[in-house]
Every structure is written in structure tokens, then in C-alpha cells.
Amino acid sequence: MTAPPSPAAGPGALPDGAPPDPHLGLVAGGAAIALLGSVTRTSLAYLFNVFVARAIGGSLFGLYAIGLSIANVGDRTALLGLDHTLLRYGAILQGEKSWRPLRTLLRRASCAVGLTGLIAGGTLFLAAGRLSTEVFHQPELRIVLRLFALSLPFSSLMALWVFSIQSLKAMHYVAIVRDLLRPAMQILLAGILLAWGWGLRGALAAYLIPVITGSLVALWLLNRLVSAESGRSRTQGNTGAEKSGGRKSPGDVGLAAIAAFALPMYLLSLVSAGMTRTGTVLLGALGVAGQAGVYFAAFRTVSLGLLVPEGFNAIFAPVIADLYNRGELEQLARLYRVVTQWQLTLSLPLFLGMALLTPRIMSLFGPDFAVGAGSLALFCGAFALHSATGSVSPMLEMTGHPTLNLANVLLSFGVNIALTVHLIPRYGILGAAMATSGAIIFLALLRVFEVYRIVGLQPYALSQMKPLLAGAVAGAVLYLTTRVWSGPLSLVGGVVAFAVAYGGVLLRVVRGRLALLVREPHGSS
């Protein structure tokens, strides 16, 4: 497979008078819905964490953070890699109008994940006592782990069904169930139960009830979507054989082909979940639950900046699978660079702003959390670089290289573990943040190299220097504003000044060009 021409030459650029790329419109529209949903979900989840941390204190919030981290790994264990498998094959089967194989795949995956969710939840429930006393030396953790164990069958099925909806590119349904219903219910219930004095158990109930509700709503929406799409296809007379040219679709191959893709994705998901939660769990195992809570709060804060790449990747991943399956590499190369520039332009100000305001942001959780300012700054730098590398992980996965992506994450996880064990005894919470940040940067750069060498695509163009310039100017404005202006409104004023400076410089540099919306970035200004 030959690599596309370099971006400086404007490969795949639309000729004058050519109609806009319909896939680019799909990515833009779907990403807008996904981004709006991500903003809503992440903001509500962040408010939930701030509210709970201030209500129950740093030590109890640390127990909640440890339990949630373990439950997240349990989710990945129960999913068996079938969430990303459905994301890829669902998009392919939809493109081929192969609705019967898709229904079969959905039924089998749901049964498998439902069973493993029950096993994972039961195992955690039974092991909660020994984990709390022998590993974490926190007897109070037992009730936390057991309540999170009850959520595992529902949370794993909800994730599976949301990914299935996403594979069909119905991002408005994803926004309803994952981004609005669940987080809104969480913060509402937390407000009520904590006001009634339920404390930590109230926070846990506010997590469990929305998960159960969300899973049921996701199932209903998925069934409605598949029925509507298959009915429309029958009305139009389209069949899977016509779309696929008579060859077998992935759904016809059977369980062996599904398992071949799912197994590396399963291990990849497990290791990825472990890598981002290593610091929280190890800090808790060392008997400092309060520091585990601070680390968790810092990581959740930087996750606000991840909503931009998450929004784009949510809709871009099935598009990658569809275009690569049909051999349309020129379109894929153009979209890859456009999406990368969008991600960089929108995520850079978030990470830069957080990095400059770390002490004030961490103080929102309470006075005990100010020690996490340095950790938050490290996370901001690592994830800013991660976002600047574009959709490298979906590019590897959706082009059929999940095993390679697994090897990448295994290697990065090993780096993370080694650094964490070495640095936590010396530097505590800051050492845990240094280890995770270093592993994230290593993984991002490795994936960029592999996508270029194997798929023949790279995400960069000279025009991507524009948001970097705007970010530098806006960062200087924010720094000066917060140093000159003191008082309760200085944070708001600094953020407003930063946003105005970033937007103004960026608009000035691009000089009103709207080419980002209709064609790929290229080297000229």
C-alpha cells in the first residue's frame, strides 16, 4: 500500500466547483452532536465529583475513587472487547445493508456480555472483604466495592449497546442515553441523597441507579434504531448481497472472525483501563486514600479536555472502518488531516487554560485537594500532545490492526507500572502523575509512527501551526490577567480574556477562511 502524497501538496484537495465530501459532512455533523454530548456529560460528571468531594471530604472521596477505578476495570473485563468489535463491524454491516447478520451479532454479544458482567460483579462482591482489608487496609472500602459490584452487569451492557448505536452513526441517541440521561440523574440524585445525610452511601446510590436506568433506555433505543433502518432498507429494495458484491460479510463468517478481532481489543481495553487507573489504585494500596482521591480528581479534571477528541473519534471511527473497507484511501487521508486540525484547534485552549489555572481549579474540590495542582499540570501537557496526534488509535483499530494497538498499550502499561513503582515512594502523588504522563506521551508518539508506516497516512499540515500561535498569545494573556487581577472574579475574568484572545488571534490568522469545513488543511496560509 503506497502512502498518499504529502499534505504540503494538498493531496485529495477538492477541485474548484467540486461538491463537498459527504463523509466530511457526516463527520462534522456527528462530531458536533458527540462534542455537545461530551461537553454535557463531562461537565455534569465533573460537577458531580466536585459536589461529592466537598460533601464527604478527601478521605471518603478517596474510597469512592478507588472503588470506581476497580469497577471501571471490571466493566472492561465484562465487555470482552465486543464494544469496539461492534463499533467496527456494525458500521461495515450497515454500509452493506446486512441487517440479519447485524441482529445476530448484537444478540450474541449481548448474551456474552450479560453473562460476563454477572460473573465479574459476583466476583468483586465476594472478594470485596479481602480486598478492603488485605490489599487496601481500608475496612470501609468493603461496602463501596460491593455497591459498585452490583452495577457491573448493567454498566457493561450499557456500554455495549451505546457502542452499537454509535456504529450506526446515530449520535443523537448516544447523546440522549450516555451524555444526558445518566449524568443528569447522577447529579440530581447526589444532591437529594447527600442533602438527606446519606454521605458516601448516597454518592454510591447516585452512581448505581442511573446506570441501571441508562442500560434499559440504551437497549430500547438500539432496538428502535435497528428496526427502523432495516425496515427502510427493505422498502428501498437494498440487500447485503447487492452492497457487498456477493462476498461474505463479517456477520456471515461466524464467531471465529468476531473472536479474532475481539480478543486483542479485549486485552487492549483492559490494559488501557489499567494504565489510566494505576495511580489511583496504587496510591490506595499504599494506604493513602486521601492522595488517591486527589489524584483521581486531577485526572477527572484533565478529562474535560478529552471531550474534543472523544467527540470526533466517536463519529470518525465508523467512518474510518467504512472508507478503509471500500478502499477509499484518498478520502480517508483528507478526513484524517481535517479531523486532526479540528481536534488541535478546539482542545489546545482547554489544556492550556487548565495548566495555567491548576491551583484554583483543584481548590474547587476543597482545601485538601490543592496538593494536586502539579499533577494536573503534568496531565495537561501529556494529554495536549496526545490530542495533537489526532485519531491514531481509531486509525489502527478500524483499519484492522487491533493486535498492534494492543502491543502498543501493553508496552506503555509496562512503562507506566515501572515508573509508578519507582516514583511514588519518592514523590507520592506527583510521582504517580509523572509516570502516567510519560506513558501517555510514549504511546501517542508510537501510534503516529505506526499509522504512517503501516497505513500510509499522517495527520499533520503546516496550517496546524495556527492554533499553536493563537494558544501562545492567549496563554500569555491569561497569565498576565490572573497575576494583575485578584479577587473572586479573577478566575472568570481570566478565562474570558483567554477565550477572546485565542478566538481573536485564530480568526485573524486564518483571515476568515472557512476551508476547514469543506476541504483538508494544506500548507499555505
Side-chain angles (χ1 to χ4, degrees):
M1 184 180 299
T2 59
S6 69
L14 295 175
D16 294 338
D21 185 347
H23 289 92
L24 186 54
L26 174 63
V27 171
I33 296 174
L35 182 58
L36 181 59
S38 295
V39 169
T40 303
R41 182 183 78 255
T42 308
S43 299
L44 290 176
Y46 191 71
L47 290 175
F48 173 79
N49 288 323
V50 170
F51 182 61
V52 170
R54 297 187 71 92
I56 66 178
S59 296
L60 290 179
F61 186 73
L63 297 179
Y64 175 87
I66 294 168
L68 181 59
S69 297
I70 294 173
N72 290 154
V73 176
D75 272 340
R76 298 304 173 192
T77 303
L79 279 167
L80 300 174
L82 292 173
D83 49 350
H84 284 83
T85 303
L86 277 170
L87 182 62
R88 181 172 190 256
Y89 286 158
I92 293 174
L93 291 171
Q94 184 199 36
E96 296 176 347
K97 308 300 181 186
S98 300
W99 299 110
R100 182 174 296 177
L102 178 58
R103 287 181 179 274
T104 301
L105 179 59
L106 286 172
R107 284 194 298 268
R108 290 174 175 174
S110 298
C111 291
V113 171
L115 177 60
T116 53
L118 288 172
I119 295 173
T123 301
L124 179 58
F125 190 92
L126 295 175
R130 299 191 66 178
L131 285 173
S132 61
T133 56
E134 298 179 14
V135 177
F136 295 98
H137 312 290
Q138 298 280 347
E140 306 92 340
L141 186 61
R142 181 175 59 180
I143 185 62
V144 175
L145 294 178
R146 286 184 170 173
L147 285 175
F148 275 119
L150 296 177
S151 72
L152 285 181
F154 300 98
S155 57
S156 55
L157 280 171
M158 178 180 171
L160 179 76
W161 293 331
V162 166
F163 267 78
S164 302
I165 295 171
Q166 182 179 321
S167 74
L168 303 178
K169 308 178 186 72
M171 298 309 299
H172 56 297
Y173 281 171
V174 174
I176 290 172
V177 65
R178 186 189 65 186
D179 301 331
L180 182 59
L181 176 64
R182 178 180 170 182
M185 284 187 66
Q186 280 185 333
I187 198 167
L188 177 62
L189 286 173
I192 295 173
L193 298 176
L194 291 175
W196 285 351
W198 283 33
L200 179 58
R201 296 194 182 196
L204 295 171
Y207 174 87
L208 176 60
I209 296 172
V211 166
I212 297 173
T213 305
S215 64
L216 298 176
V217 174
L219 176 60
W220 176 70
L221 289 175
L222 176 61
N223 183 67
R224 176 179 177 179
L225 177 64
V226 174
S227 298
E229 289 285 338
S230 59
R232 186 180 303 113
S233 180
R234 285 194 300 269
T235 301
Q236 295 173 351
N238 296 325
T239 66
E242 291 170 353
K243 289 288 182 178
S244 59
R247 66 175 175 82
K248 280 189 173 183
S249 70
D252 297 323
V253 176
L255 292 177
I258 301 301
F261 184 86
L263 179 59
M265 293 303 304
Y266 177 47
L267 298 175
L268 171 65
S269 182
L270 274 179
V271 177
S272 298
M275 188 170 74
T276 58
R277 292 158 179 85
T278 299
T280 301
V281 174
L282 287 182
L283 285 168
L286 292 174
V288 281
Q291 285 197 13
V294 174
Y295 179 93
F296 178 84
F299 199 87
R300 286 289 171 148
T301 298
V302 80
S303 297
L304 293 171
L306 296 178
L307 58 89
V308 172
E310 179 183 293
F312 281 104
N313 290 342
I315 188 62
F316 190 36
V319 172
I320 294 171
D322 186 28
L323 290 178
Y324 190 79
N325 182 60
R326 292 191 277 116
E328 299 182 10
L329 295 185
E330 190 171 330
Q331 278 188 308
L332 182 57
R334 180 171 64 250
L335 286 173
Y336 185 28
R337 283 187 280 274
V338 171
V339 169
T340 300
Q341 179 158 340
W342 282 342
Q343 288 187 21
L344 180 63
T345 301
L346 295 176
S347 64
L348 179 63
L350 297 176
F351 291 118
L352 183 58
M354 283 190 286
L356 293 172
L357 297 171
T358 50
R360 302 189 184 195
I361 292 174
M362 291 304 297
S363 66
L364 295 174
F365 291 88
D368 297 340
F369 291 80
V371 69
S375 300
L376 177 57
L378 286 172
F379 287 145
C380 288
F383 279 108
L385 190 146
H386 178 271
S387 296
T389 59
S391 302
V392 282
S393 182
M395 284 293 294
L396 288 174
E397 293 170 5
M398 297 297 112
T399 56
H401 300 89
T403 304
L404 178 61
N405 213 16
L406 169 62
N408 295 338
V409 178
L410 281 172
L411 181 59
S412 300
F413 186 50
V415 171
N416 189 23
I417 290 291
L419 291 175
T420 300
V421 171
H422 179 70
L423 294 175
I424 283 183
R426 294 188 179 187
Y427 303 107
I429 183 177
L430 189 61
M434 292 167 62
T436 301
S437 299
I440 289 170
I441 292 172
F442 172 76
L443 178 60
L445 296 178
L446 181 62
R447 283 169 167 168
V448 169
F449 174 76
E450 289 171 345
V451 169
Y452 178 72
R453 293 288 297 178
I454 297 172
V455 186
L457 305 177
Q458 61 89 17
Y460 297 115
L462 293 178
S463 58
Q464 291 164 356
M465 294 298 295
K466 297 169 183 177
L468 298 179
L469 173 62
V473 174
V477 170
L478 177 59
Y479 178 83
L480 293 174
T481 302
T482 54
R483 292 300 179 276
V484 173
W485 186 6
S486 60
L489 295 179
S490 61
L491 178 60
V492 176
V495 171
V496 171
F498 175 84
V500 171
Y502 183 82
V505 173
L506 189 61
L507 288 174
R508 176 68 178 173
V509 170
V510 301
R511 293 191 297 273
R513 290 176 57 195
L514 299 178
L516 286 176
L517 298 177
V518 295
R519 63 186 71 200
E520 72 166 353
H522 50 82
S524 61
S525 295

